[in-house]
């Protein structure tokens, strides 16, 4: 067999092995790359290159080195899962760099961080004023996460006392013109429902690029043909206006009539409708 | 538009609102919203009844409305 063919075969073989090995090591490395992970992967890669190019004679030695490296990696990922001590030793612990709004200079020095680095990291999080930070942690991978002082945090609906409609998640039910049955079933819906909704909008499923259903069973669709205007869901708004109008009508009836009993009755109805409105308004916005 | 037909229209509007709320109670995935919609739909019931009675009374008092 010619040399070049051997190299091709070895390359493909090592690539496949690497792919399998990376799956075994788990996704953690990609998600949270600590310095140790980086060193480990570089070493692993270099050994793979040595294997492919047959740089060491006899090749068996390279294979042994590569296997040892790989198995140690597996053992280390297993051990760090099991023991906090191993984790802290290999990955390092997170360090508190700002506490109660004050920068911890000693901690910064310990993790070899210059003030400029700290400022740059904070700016990356849209924090330009250190005075706004209550607490900041440097994670094991060198990233800084900061908690703003409570009066500098974005306002939430809860703080304003505003009731909001719960959003338990949106399901994508059509992708690229294909109906996805599983998300539909999760929402307790089926193809029949989807087809009805689509025919209400006067479109066929094949023309839909993307369709999503929200908690209230409202359908949002995007068509392949962007020139066509599709009606947006308005049923919720409609219910709200119907109730508002009924309330106003009842109030005006109570003013119009001369019958005292009827007046009373209309007023009572209006009160009841307005209490219903109070309950459902947050859900309909 | 006579008062009679206005009241009738309001009754129909409220009925449709009630059925919409019942529909939402069935379709929504959120337990809390489902309860609110169910309760509101039920709460509308006495109002519908009262309006119905009022309409019947109007028909009794002024029979020319009947069937219109």
């Amino acid at each position: 067999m010619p040399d070049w063919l051997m190299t091709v075969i070895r390359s493909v073989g090592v690539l496949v092995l690497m792919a399998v090995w990376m799956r075994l090591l788990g996704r953690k490395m990609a998600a949270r790359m600590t310095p140790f992970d980086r060193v480990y992967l570089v070493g692993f890669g270099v050994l793979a290159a040595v294997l492919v190019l047959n740089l060491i004679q006899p090749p068996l030695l390279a294979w042994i080195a590569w296997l040892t490296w790989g198995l140690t990696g597996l053992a280390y990922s297993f051990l760090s899962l099991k023991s906090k001590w191993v984790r802290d030793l290999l990955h390092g612990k997170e360090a508190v760099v700002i506490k109660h709004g004050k920068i911890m200079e000693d901690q910064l020095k310990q993790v070899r961080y210059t003030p400029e680095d700290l400022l740059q990291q904070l700016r990356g999080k849209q924090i330009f004023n250190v005075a706004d930070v209550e607490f900041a942690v440097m994670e094991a991978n060198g990233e800084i996460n900061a908690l703003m002082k409570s009066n500098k945090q974005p306002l939430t609906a809860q703080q304003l006392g505003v009731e909001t409609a719960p959003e338990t998640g949106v399901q994508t039910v059509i992708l690229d013109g294909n109906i996805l049955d599983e998300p539909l079933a999760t929402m307790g819906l089926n193809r029949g429902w989807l087809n009805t909704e689509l025919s209400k909008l006067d479109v066929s499923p094949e023309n839909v690029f993307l369709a999503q259903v929200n908690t209230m069973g409202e359908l949002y669709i995007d068509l392949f043909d962007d020139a066509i205007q599709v009606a947006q869901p308005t049923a919720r708004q409609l219910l709200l206006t119907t109730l508002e109008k009924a309330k106003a009508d009842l109030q005006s009836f109570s003013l119009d009539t001369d019958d005292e009993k009827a007046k009373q009755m209309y007023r009572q109805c209006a009160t009841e409708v307005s209490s219903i409105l109070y309950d459902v308004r947050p859900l309909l916005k | 538009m006579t008062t009679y037909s206005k009241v009738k229209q309001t009754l129909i509007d409220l009925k449709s609102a009630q059925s919409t709320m019942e529909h939402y109670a069935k379709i929504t995935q959120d337990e809390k919203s489902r309860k609110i919609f169910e309760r509101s739909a039920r709460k509308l019931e006495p109002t519908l009844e009262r309006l119905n009675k009022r309409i019947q009374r109007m028909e009794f008092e002024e029979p020319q409305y009947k069937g219109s």
Side-chain angles (χ1 to χ4, degrees), chain B residues 28-57:
Chain B
T28 185
Q29 299 284 302
D30 181 70
E31 191 60 21
K32 203 176 137 211
S33 340
R34 193 177 63 77
K35 280 201 179 124
I36 291 175
F37 279 125
E38 261 175 11
R39 200 181 56 215
S40 302
R42 245 184 291 122
K43 241 164 109 181
L44 214 48
E45 202 56 52
T47 302
L48 294 178
E49 247 163 56
R50 275 194 216 113
L51 286 181
N52 233 338
K53 264 192 204 136
R54 177 72 191 153
I55 285 168
Q56 275 165 11
R57 195 173 165 74

Side-chain angles (χ1 to χ4, degrees), chain A residues 144-164:
Chain A
I144 284 194
N145 287 316
L147 176 73
M148 306 289 277
K149 287 198 171 131
S150 58
N151 59 352
K152 294 286 181 181
Q153 277 173 15
L155 209 52
T156 61
Q158 196 194 6
Q159 284 165 330
L160 283 174
V162 177
E163 290 250 13
T164 50

